[in-house]
Amino acid sequence: MSEPSASLKELTLRGVILGTLITLVFTASNVYLGLKVGLTFASSIPAAVISMALLRVFRDSNILENNIVQTQASAAGTLSAIIFVLPALLMMGYWSGFPLLQTAMICACGGILGVVFTVPLRRALVVNSDLPYPEGVAAAEILRVGQGRADDETSDKGQGFREIVLGGTVAGGFSLLTGGFRVAVDSVSHWFGIGRAVFQLPLGLSFALVGAGYLVGITGGTAMLVGVVLTWGVVVPWLTHLLPMPDGGTLASFATGVWVSKVRLMGAGMIAVAAVWTLITLIKPMIEGMRISLSVLRSGSGASSQARADADLSPRLLLTLTVFMILLLGATFWSFVADSGLPAATAWTLVVVGTLLAFFFGFLVAAACGYMAGLVGSSASPISGIAVIAVLASSMIFIGIGQAQGVLGSHESVRFFTALALFCTSVVVAIAAISNDNLQDLKTGWLVHATPWRQQVALIIGCVIGALTIPPVLDLLYQAYGFIGSLPRAEMDPAQALAAPQASLMITIADGLFSHTLDWTYIRFGVYVGVVLIVLDALLGRLTTHYRVPPLAVAMGVYLPPSVATALFVGSLISWIVRRRIRAAAASAHTDPAPWLKAADRKGTLFASGLIVGESLVGVVLAIIIVASVATGGSDAPLALVGGVNFAPVATVIGLACFLAMCLAFIRRLVARQ
């Protein structure tokens, strides 16, 4: 591929405006999906497709301008990972709503620092590296196709956009049936007992999760299913056999209570040890990344002295941005600490330590996350594991400060220090999320010969737009649905509350460390199980390349609601079935399956992205309708056409039928020859 002309427009006003609009859509979608199930989706590929479709109306649009749009949009969508931690402050009762300024400052400062930290790593981890960067390469291929640069995929440039629209329409329609009209269920489960042991056979019907599972792949999906089987086929039945059922309780309420209060702690231990192991395996690349960062900064090379396609932001500008972000972070921490009632010396100590802790720990995880993104992709990179390590580290440091200052005695002081640890962790997660995405985008830019410093500017713009978008969307969803354990109004239906599973985990860890109430029995058991899984996965890695058991994925299968993990598994199973059927058909026809698989992978990725976006967007729209209804004294289910237990069997049949039809259509659509 020849290098694009330097005269092509790249960072344009119309591109920034379009990137802003796409940013609003994907950020809102990611926030909703993350709060509902604890997962977010990579937005680079759908953003690239939408950008190409819309910019095509301009004759002078080009691949570099499209690349800037997807770079900006993907950065803001990735920043929504902040919801893995920040809702914990409401769920623990410290906040009664999301302070817009504090939330925006956390997102903006953390995001921009994530960009700054990974800029010096571009040459080492992108240009001079063999890391695959799966999503970055895929986005580059789509951009090339959109501009007619691929030799075999240019016959229908609008196909990708149609796949996303089709997937979005299908998933959005089903989401309207389940969450709006309430004529179909979004999950089914069968509870039964053997003796005193309680078992559950669950199945989630979320189209968005099927799309996410397709992107995760069979290895991750199967590992999550292993976690579900371990939880609901072994641990929960064992504990319900040992524990007495409360009088008047049902099998479902009893087993669910055991899972929430005990088994999820085991999942927390598994996640923690898996995250620690991940970081241990990355110590060497982290040290190498820091060494290269410092050597590049000392060299003083910048955009003015380099070729266009190899010009980063200058070290002087990076240093200026870093100092400015540290000052803003300090002001943000002070706004959080100011009302704590602590002595001035203690308050300022916490501000300085919190700011420096977020900065230096963020720098460490930036190198780790950049490497992980290149190795396994942004979607599979364990940001939640980084959050676990961050909340453990910040909690232990603040415990030490509180005890040394003699201010960690009362219930209110423990509550404040717990909230401060979570607040600090949220900054680290913002840095980690953007670092995770940044190098993926820079890989795309390198493949299409974009200008790095312009991409880095677009990333910073995306962070600012995302920081302005996330707080109101968070508050809107909280007012509409509430979080499990934290409902803004007493009359709200707890069953509709958003799970925010990672935020629950953060509370469990931080609150347990500060108050010494954490039940370490189940966490220790989870740690032991996690170690066994790590050893098993390492052995499988030595013996075969086809079968692995990622410990973090198994842990998420234990911790997440089973309806989530099973729907993800269905999506991953679809990807496996499609590839298997294509290979079998190609073998029967004595043809090379590679082109067929490549076309199916592209179509499947786009359709799955559409499923995710469609359901998420309908969820956000329904949230707006619910908030408006409740504010005017109406129902919290204003669009419901039916309700009550009498319609439940019919809703179950409708939900299952729609789900089965979608899965079969998904498979047939991908297996059909292009």
Side-chain angles (χ1 to χ4, degrees):
M1 185 190 75
S2 61
E3 182 175 342
S5 170
S7 63
L8 292 179
K9 295 181 178 179
E10 193 166 357
L11 185 61
T12 64
L13 178 60
R14 71 188 181 197
V16 170
I17 294 174
L18 177 58
T20 298
L21 295 176
I22 299 176
T23 288
L24 296 175
V25 172
F26 284 132
T27 300
S29 303
N30 254 335
V31 169
Y32 171 77
L33 190 67
L35 288 175
K36 183 178 181 181
V37 302
L39 295 171
T40 58
F41 65 94
S43 51
S44 295
I45 293 175
V49 172
I50 293 174
S51 169
M52 289 186 299
L54 296 180
L55 285 179
R56 190 176 296 130
V57 300
F58 300 100
R59 288 188 174 183
D60 58 344
S61 65
N62 60 82
I63 191 172
L64 300 183
E65 188 177 19
N66 281 314
N67 178 60
I68 288 292
V69 174
Q70 72 85 17
T71 297
Q72 178 183 333
S74 67
T78 303
L79 191 59
S80 58
I82 195 74
I83 53 91
F84 290 163
V85 181
L86 214 53
L89 293 169
L90 279 82
M91 299 169 75
M92 66 176 289
Y94 190 81
W95 280 351
S96 58
F98 288 99
L100 298 185
L101 183 58
Q102 285 184 349
T103 306
M105 291 302 294
I106 288 174
C107 296
C109 293
I112 292 173
L113 283 175
V115 175
V116 169
F117 288 160
T118 50
V119 167
L121 299 176
R122 184 184 64 85
R123 291 177 187 81
L125 297 182
V126 174
V127 178
N128 300 322
S129 171
D130 294 328
L131 291 172
Y133 288 99
E135 290 144 338
V137 172
E141 288 300 316
I142 290 175
L143 289 171
R144 288 168 176 163
V145 169
Q147 294 295 316
R149 289 181 174 273
D151 295 331
D152 58 344
E153 296 180 12
T154 60
S155 59
D156 188 0
K157 299 178 186 177
Q159 178 184 4
F161 184 66
R162 289 200 299 271
E163 291 297 329
I164 288 185
V165 170
L166 178 61
T169 302
V170 170
F174 184 69
S175 182
L176 190 60
L177 293 179
T178 58
F181 301 149
R182 307 290 176 93
V183 297
V185 298
D186 59 3
S187 66
V188 294
S189 60
H190 175 63
W191 299 88
F192 63 96
I194 299 179
R196 293 171 57 185
V198 181
F199 296 80
Q200 180 189 187
L201 295 177
L203 177 63
L205 307 181
S206 167
F207 287 15
L209 292 178
V210 172
Y214 179 89
L215 298 176
V216 166
I218 191 64
T219 299
T222 303
M224 286 194 177
L225 185 65
V226 169
V228 173
V229 173
L230 177 65
T231 301
W232 297 100
V234 179
V235 180
V236 170
W238 174 52
L239 291 176
T240 51
H241 174 75
L242 297 177
L243 300 171
M245 180 186 295
D247 295 335
T250 64
L251 293 179
S253 63
F254 177 42
T256 301
V258 169
W259 171 68
V260 170
S261 63
K262 302 182 185 302
V263 181
R264 290 189 96 184
L265 293 178
M266 185 186 86
M270 294 172 64
I271 290 175
V273 73
V276 170
W277 174 249
T278 300
L279 289 180
I280 289 175
T281 60
L282 291 172
I283 286 178
K284 183 177 180 180
M286 283 171 63
I287 294 174
E288 180 65 13
M290 287 187 291
R291 186 189 67 79
I292 295 173
S293 297
L294 295 175
S295 64
V296 170
L297 287 173
R298 283 196 298 265
S299 70
S301 60
S304 60
S305 61
Q306 297 168 278
R308 180 193 62 81
D310 195 36
D312 291 304
L313 291 173
S314 69
R316 179 175 297 177
L317 179 57
L318 293 178
L319 182 60
T320 301
L321 280 173
T322 300
V323 173
F324 186 52
M325 289 303 106
I326 290 176
L327 294 176
L328 287 181
L329 265 184
T332 305
F333 271 96
W334 173 252
S335 70
F336 188 85
V337 173
D339 297 330
S340 63
L342 294 172
T346 302
W348 278 109
T349 299
L350 293 175
V351 169
V352 173
V353 171
T355 303
L356 294 179
L357 176 63
F359 177 82
F360 286 109
F361 195 76
F363 181 75
L364 291 175
V365 302
C369 288
Y371 186 87
M372 288 189 291
L375 197 62
V376 299
S378 298
S379 299
S381 187
I383 296 295
S384 58
I386 297 294
V388 170
I389 301 301
V391 76
L392 283 170
S394 58
S395 295
M396 297 300 291
I397 289 173
F398 287 130
I399 286 174
I401 293 175
Q403 291 176 342
Q405 298 282 339
V407 296
L408 199 58
S410 67
H411 171 74
E412 285 301 317
S413 64
V414 169
R415 185 165 169 264
F416 165 74
F417 273 82
T418 304
L420 181 61
L422 294 169
F423 192 79
C424 183
T425 300
S426 65
V427 180
V428 175
V429 169
I431 295 173
I434 290 298
S435 303
N436 201 46
D437 173 77
N438 187 5
L439 290 173
Q440 204 80 241
D441 289 326
L442 292 174
K443 178 69 172 183
T444 301
W446 182 68
L447 291 173
V448 301
H449 296 285
T451 308
W453 75 262
R454 290 190 173 97
Q455 275 194 280
Q456 290 149 12
V457 170
L459 286 162
I460 292 173
I461 294 173
C463 290
V464 174
I465 299 299
L468 296 175
T469 304
I470 290 172
V473 173
L474 274 174
D475 202 56
L476 172 67
L477 293 173
Y478 174 64
Q479 296 299 328
Y481 300 110
F483 302 140
I484 291 179
S486 177
L487 300 177
R489 297 176 301 279
E491 69 275 10
M492 295 182 70
D493 181 6
Q496 297 296 320
L498 298 169
Q502 274 88 352
S504 300
L505 174 61
M506 298 302 109
I507 294 175
T508 299
I509 295 173
D511 186 58
L513 285 171
F514 279 98
S515 62
H516 308 289
T517 59
L518 193 61
D519 189 342
W520 289 95
T521 301
Y522 296 101
I523 290 182
R524 280 195 295 266
F525 182 69
V527 169
Y528 300 150
V529 174
V531 170
V532 172
L533 289 171
I534 289 171
V535 174
L536 176 62
D537 185 57
L539 290 175
L540 289 174
R542 290 179 176 272
L543 297 176
T544 177
T545 58
H546 299 290
Y547 303 101
R548 300 296 297 269
V549 187
L552 196 58
V554 178
M556 294 303 290
V558 173
Y559 189 82
L560 289 173
S563 60
V564 173
T566 50
L568 287 166
F569 171 72
V570 170
S572 69
L573 184 63
I574 288 175
S575 70
W576 180 79
I577 291 173
V578 167
R579 298 182 70 84
R580 188 176 179 88
R581 289 185 61 179
I582 288 177
R583 288 195 179 97
S588 300
H590 304 289
T591 60
D592 182 9
W596 195 350
L597 286 171
K598 182 179 180 181
D601 283 345
R602 177 175 180 267
K603 179 183 281 190
T605 297
L606 295 169
F607 186 79
S609 299
L611 292 177
I612 296 169
V613 172
E615 181 174 318
S616 301
L617 290 182
V618 169
V620 173
V621 172
L622 289 177
I624 296 173
I625 296 174
I626 291 171
V627 168
S629 174
V630 172
T632 56
S635 167
D636 61 355
L639 301 182
L641 301 178
V642 294
V645 295
N646 293 332
F647 193 77
V650 179
T652 300
V653 172
I654 293 175
L656 283 171
C658 291
F659 185 78
L660 181 61
M662 184 277 295
C663 292
L664 292 176
F666 196 171
I667 293 173
R668 292 188 62 181
R669 188 169 183 81
L670 300 189
V671 172
R673 290 299 295 263
Q674 307 300 309

